[in-house]
Amino acid sequence: MQMPVQFSLDELLSMLMARMDSLAVAEENMKTKFNIFARVLYKKGLLTDEEILESIREEHRVLKELGLIAEMPGEDMLKVVADNMFQWIKGDVKAIKKGMEEYEKKLREYAAQEARKPKIDVAPSNVLSQLDRLSGKKPGGGKLII
C-alpha cells in the first residue's frame, strides 16, 4: 500500500506561486505574439478598425448567449475596447501612456475614496472575553467598541 504524500504549507504555497509565475510569463508571451501577428495583418491591410469593432461585437454576443455576461455593453464601450486594441496594434505609445496615466489616476482616486469610508473592525472573541473579565461583567454580553 502506497503511503500518502505530505506537503508542508510552505511547500504548497511555493508550488502555487511557481505555477502562478509560469502562468504570468505564458500570458505575457501570448500577448506579445498576438500583438506581433496583429501588427503584421494590420500593415498588410488585412485588418481594419471596423473588422476589429465587429469582431468585438460578435464576441460579446456569443458571451451573452452563453450566459457568461448579463448584457451587451453599449456601443461606446465597444468602441473604447476597439480603440484600446488598435493603440497596441498600431504601436501608439503616446496614446498608451496617456491611457495608463488616466487609469492610474482613477485607481488613486478610488483608493482615496475607500480610505475615507468608515471602517468596521471586529475584535476576536478572546479580546472581548478579556474585556469582560477586566470590567467585571458577565462573559458573552456583547459589546460595541468604538
Side-chain angles (χ1 to χ4, degrees), residues 81-99:
V81 172
D83 289 344
N84 187 298
M85 287 183 75
F86 260 107
Q87 286 174 354
W88 279 98
I89 291 170
K90 293 175 182 178
D92 188 351
V93 176
K94 284 184 181 180
I96 293 169
K97 281 184 177 181
K98 181 181 175 191

Side-chain angles (χ1 to χ4, degrees), residues 68-111:
L68 299 173
I69 58 174
E71 60 185 43
M72 285 286 290
E75 193 64 23
D76 55 336
M77 184 57 128
L78 294 175
K79 286 181 181 178
V80 167
V81 172
D83 289 344
N84 187 298
M85 287 183 75
F86 260 107
Q87 286 174 354
W88 279 98
I89 291 170
K90 293 175 182 178
D92 188 351
V93 176
K94 284 184 181 180
I96 293 169
K97 281 184 177 181
K98 181 181 175 191
M100 290 171 72
E101 288 168 0
E102 289 174 4
Y103 179 73
E104 288 175 8
K105 180 182 174 188
K106 286 180 184 179
L107 281 179
R108 283 192 294 274
E109 289 172 0
Y110 178 73

Side-chain angles (χ1 to χ4, degrees), residues 1 6 12 14 19 27-28 32-33 42 46-47 49-50 53 60-61 68 88 104 107 109 135 137-138 141-142 146:
M1 185 165 152
Q6 293 183 351
L12 181 62
S14 292
R19 182 67 179 141
E27 178 192 19
E28 197 61 37
T32 300
K33 288 178 181 178
Y42 181 74
L46 300 173
L47 189 63
D49 293 23
E50 189 52 45
L53 184 57
H60 283 87
R61 182 193 63 77
L68 299 173
W88 279 98
E104 288 175 8
L107 281 179
E109 289 172 0
S135 66
K137 293 186 180 178
K138 258 186 175 178
I146 299 177

